[in-house]
Amino acid sequence: ASCYYHGYVLAEMAVHQTREYFLEKEGYIVDNPTVGPTLEKSYWEPGNSAAFLDLVKDLTGKPLTGDAWIKELSTPVNSLKASEKDDYDAAVAKPHPA
């Protein structure tokens, strides 16, 4: 049904906007100790007591838009591949707790 697709698109938009928020604020997401607690407090703790659009806006400081997703889709594949490899290499090079 079309309502399912609408929900999937809203969720995908929120994922990209949330990722952009963390990357701009923290510089990285993987193995970042602030990401989990922030998501827990902002998205999961309120549960159904807050509207989905409000959850996204309260965390990211912006109303939900497709801008972050469109920016990623507009990035040439070779540039995206190189950027993701650089991010991966930087994450692997970081010391990890035992």
Side-chain angles (χ1 to χ4, degrees), residues 3-84:
C3 61
Y4 288 116
Y5 294 115
H6 184 254
Y8 297 148
V9 169
L10 290 175
E12 190 72 22
M13 288 167 56
V15 165
H16 287 278
Q17 187 164 320
T18 301
R19 286 179 50 80
E20 181 180 68
Y21 165 78
F22 280 115
L23 290 171
E24 287 175 356
K25 182 177 183 220
E26 302 284 338
Y28 70 106
I29 296 173
V30 176
D31 291 334
N32 184 329
T34 66
V35 172
T38 301
L39 288 174
E40 179 182 11
K41 179 92 173 134
S42 300
Y43 284 171
W44 302 320
E45 190 175 287
N48 287 331
S49 69
F52 171 72
L53 297 177
D54 292 337
L55 294 173
V56 176
K57 184 177 180 182
D58 290 347
L59 173 63
T60 66
K62 303 175 191 174
L64 182 63
T65 70
D67 294 346
W69 193 8
I70 291 167
K71 184 167 63 174
E72 186 169 332
L73 291 171
S74 300
T75 304
V77 173
N78 287 338
S79 297
L80 186 60
K81 184 178 173 184
S83 172
E84 289 185 1

Side-chain angles (χ1 to χ4, degrees), residues 28 84-96:
Y28 70 106
E84 289 185 1
K85 182 173 183 337
D86 291 345
D87 291 346
Y88 173 82
D89 290 342
V92 169
K94 285 184 181 180
H96 293 83

